[in-house]
Amino acid sequence: MPEADKTAIFEHLESEVRSYSRGWPATFTTASGSWIRDENGREYLDFFAGAGALNYGHNNPILKKALVDYIVGDGITHGLDMNTVAKRELLETIQHNILEPRNLDYKVQFPGPTGTNAVEAALKLARKVTGRESIINFTNAFHGMTLGALSVTGNSMKRAGAGVPLVHATPMPFDNYFGGVTEDFQWFERVLDDSGSGLNRPAAVIVETVQGEGGVNVARAEWLRALADLCARREILLIVDDVQMGCGRTGPFFSFEIAGIQPDIVTLSKSIGGYGLPMALTMFKRELDVWGPGEHNGTFRGNNPAFVTATAAIQEYWGAGSTLPEETLAKGETISNAFTKLADKFDGVSTRGRGLVQGLVFDDAENAGKVCKLAFDEGLLAETSGPSDEVVKLLPPLTVTNDELDQGLRILTSATEKVCS
Ligand SMILES: *Cc1c(COP(=O)(O)O)cnc(C)c1O
C-alpha cells in the first residue's frame, strides 16, 4: 500500500478533533514495555506512555496473564455496579495494599471509567456535602473535558470548546506563579476574608500536585501543606486530582504523600487500571459519603477486566517492601541530570519535574515542538505541554529500564542540541 493510502481513511472519516496522530504520523500496531511499533516495523521508545495511563508499560506480561486468564474463564466483563468477585478482590487489595498502610480511611466510588468522570463525581460530592457551589482551582490546571471539569481547567483553547459559560470556579495562583515574589496564598486568604471581594465561600479546592498538562509545574511539599491547612481552617474540602500523578508517577503511590497531607477527596484514573484499560476511582473520607443510591451513576462503571489488571498491578508493584518508588525517583534523577546539562548549556532552557514526570522548558515555545518532532524522527515519542506547548514532557513507563532511559535521553539530547545550536 502506498504511504498516503495508509492514512487516507483517518483523514477522510475521522474528525478533525484528532490530535496525537498529527504529531506522530505513524500507524501503530503492536507494543510491549517501553516500545511501540508501527505497521512498517519501525520501533519507537514510548516516553509518553498513554499520557501516563501506562505506568507499567505496554502489555505488561504479569497484567496480561491475569487479563487473559480472566477472559478465557468467562469472567464478567460488564458489571455496572453489581458485586463481582473481580471487584471484591480489587477493593480488598486497595484496602490492604494502599489505604491501610497509609492510614487512609477512604471510601471508594467507581464513577464512569475516565479521569473527567472521577473529577465530576468529586465536584458534585463536594457541593452536596457543603451545600456550596463555588470551587477554587489553580492557574494552568487541567482536570478534564466535561463541563464541570472544564470549568476548573485553565487552558483557554480547551475552555472555549465548551460553548457555554463555565461558571462556579475561581482560579488562584499555583505554587511559584509569581516566581516567589508574592507570599503563598496571600491573595486567596485576602479574598476569603473580604466580604466585598465577590468570592462566594467555596465548597472545595481542587489541585494537582504536579500539573502535567499545565507544563510540569511542581508544587512544593510545604505549599501543599499550607494549602491543606488553609482548607482545614476554613472548612473547605481539599480535592487532589491524582489522575495523572497518582499510581507512582512521582514516586509514592499517591503524589500527595510527600507533603504528609490527607486530602478529603482524591481522584485516580489513567494508570489505576494498570493495563491501559478504562477505569477511574473517586475516593473520599468516610464521613463525606453522603451519596444516595444511584445518585451518580454510569453504564461503564463496572469494567471488570480493568479491575482484574488493577488488582494484579497493585499486588505486583505496591505490596509491602515495594521498591518501585525508589526506582522511580532514581530514574527521575537520571532524566533531571540529563536535562540540567542541557539547561546549563543553552540559554532559554530550563528543567523541572518530580519522579518520572520531567519537563524540559523552552523560553522559545516553538523549540519544544521542534525537539519532539526530531525525537519522533529518531524513534522516540514525547509530547509537549504547557499553555504555549513550551515544555517537552517526559512520562516514560515506570518500568523503563536504565538502558532504555539512556537511549531515549541520547535522542532528546541530540534533538535539543540540533534545535538550540
Ligand atoms: C488526564 C487528566 C484528566 C482527565 O482524564 P480523562 O481520562 O482524559 O478524562 C483529569 N485530571 C488530570 C490531572 C489529568 O491528567
Side-chain angles (χ1 to χ4, degrees):
M1 214 192 267
E3 283 304 306
D5 288 1
K6 291 182 182 169
T7 54
I9 190 72
F10 303 113
E11 278 142 39
H12 175 67
L13 201 58
E14 192 183 355
S15 162
E16 295 304 316
V17 78
R18 65 195 192 277
S19 66
Y20 291 114
S21 57
R22 298 170 193 268
W24 299 323
T27 304
F28 298 102
T29 49
T30 60
S32 53
S34 308
W35 295 90
I36 182 165
R37 286 164 214 94
D38 72 16
E39 63 182 339
N40 298 331
R42 231 187 130 203
E43 301 212 315
Y44 305 80
L45 257 179
D46 185 359
F47 282 13
F48 166 65
L54 294 165
N55 281 8
Y56 314 107
H58 287 274
N59 296 319
N60 181 298
I62 297 154
L63 312 189
K64 179 162 63 182
K65 179 164 190 324
L67 179 63
V68 168
D69 289 350
Y70 186 74
I71 291 173
V72 168
D74 274 345
I76 301 287
T77 293
H78 181 271
L80 285 159
D81 66 9
M82 293 184 284
N83 290 346
T84 61
V85 170
K87 187 156 78 175
R88 180 169 63 211
E89 287 174 354
L90 172 61
L91 286 168
E92 284 170 353
T93 303
I94 290 174
Q95 165 106 337
H96 184 256
N97 288 28
I98 304 295
L99 299 179
E100 277 171 2
R102 293 167 181 79
N103 259 320
L104 291 166
D105 188 20
Y106 284 161
K107 290 196 80 177
V108 175
Q109 175 180 3
F110 294 89
T114 66
T116 201
N117 274 288
V119 169
E120 295 291 338
L123 299 178
K124 280 168 75 170
L125 184 69
R127 288 176 168 133
K128 185 170 157 92
V129 166
T130 60
R132 301 174 216 140
E133 290 172 353
S134 100
I135 308 282
I136 300 293
N137 60 309
F138 289 98
T139 48
N140 290 306
F142 179 82
H143 297 293
M145 286 288 118
T146 50
L147 289 183
L150 202 49
S151 73
V152 288
T153 288
N155 187 290
S156 53
M157 183 270 276
K158 300 231 170 8
R159 290 178 68 87
V164 293
L166 294 171
V167 291
H168 308 310
T170 307
M172 290 289 160
F174 191 70
D175 192 10
N176 205 35
Y177 193 65
F178 295 109
V181 177
T182 306
E183 199 186 312
D184 299 333
F185 307 113
Q186 192 181 16
W187 170 248
F188 189 4
E189 294 225 59
R190 180 74 177 271
V191 293
L192 276 173
D193 288 336
D194 181 354
S195 62
S197 72
L199 180 74
N200 295 335
R201 191 153 170 240
V205 169
I206 184 164
V207 69
E208 300 152 271
T209 63
V210 179
Q211 296 180 322
E213 301 307 300
V216 193
N217 305 312
V218 183
R220 290 162 300 151
E222 57 265 36
W223 185 87
L224 291 167
R225 264 194 300 277
L227 177 64
D229 272 1
L230 174 64
C231 288
R233 270 187 280 121
R234 307 298 182 120
E235 297 183 332
I236 300 167
L237 297 175
L238 178 63
I239 304 169
V240 170
D241 180 353
D242 235 1
V243 164
Q244 187 165 148
M245 296 306 148
C247 304
R249 176 51 60 186
T250 67
F253 184 81
F254 293 112
S255 69
F256 55 80
E257 289 177 49
I258 52 137
I261 59 172
Q262 295 205 342
D264 298 294
I265 306 178
V266 180
T267 57
L268 288 175
S269 187
K270 294 209 164 90
S271 275
I272 185 64
Y275 200 68
L277 294 173
M279 184 181 150
L281 298 176
T282 306
M283 301 190 186
F284 34 82
K285 290 186 175 162
R286 182 167 294 275
E287 64 273 19
L288 300 181
D289 193 11
V290 299
W291 288 120
E295 197 177 357
H296 182 87
N297 61 22
T299 306
F300 289 109
R301 284 168 300 144
N303 185 10
N304 279 252
F307 298 168
V308 169
T309 51
T311 302
I314 295 171
Q315 287 180 353
E316 176 66 23
Y317 294 101
W318 299 100
S322 159
T323 53
L324 188 62
E326 289 72 35
E327 290 163 27
T328 298
L329 294 179
K331 289 170 188 168
E333 197 63 24
T334 303
I335 303 180
S336 172
N337 290 340
F339 280 4
T340 301
K341 277 192 199 140
L342 291 169
D344 289 345
K345 187 160 171 192
F346 298 109
D347 282 343
V349 179
S350 56
T351 180
R352 56 191 183 226
R354 172 175 289 147
L356 272 175
V357 48
Q358 295 287 335
L360 189 62
V361 188
F362 292 86
D363 288 356
D364 180 352
E366 276 190 5
N367 284 345
K370 287 184 193 160
V371 167
C372 287
K373 179 164 188 329
L374 278 180
F376 174 78
D377 294 341
E378 294 302 316
L380 178 89
L381 303 191
E383 73 162 340
T384 58
S385 81
S388 314
D389 286 323
E390 72 280 26
V391 183
V392 174
K393 176 173 98 167
L394 289 201
L395 289 177
L398 309 184
T399 52
V400 68
T401 66
N402 289 324
D403 281 351
E404 289 165 346
L405 208 50
D406 291 342
Q407 199 175 336
L409 289 171
R410 273 199 300 276
I411 295 175
L412 274 167
T413 298
S414 112
T416 306
E417 283 169 346
K418 273 189 202 136
V419 167
C420 290
S421 326

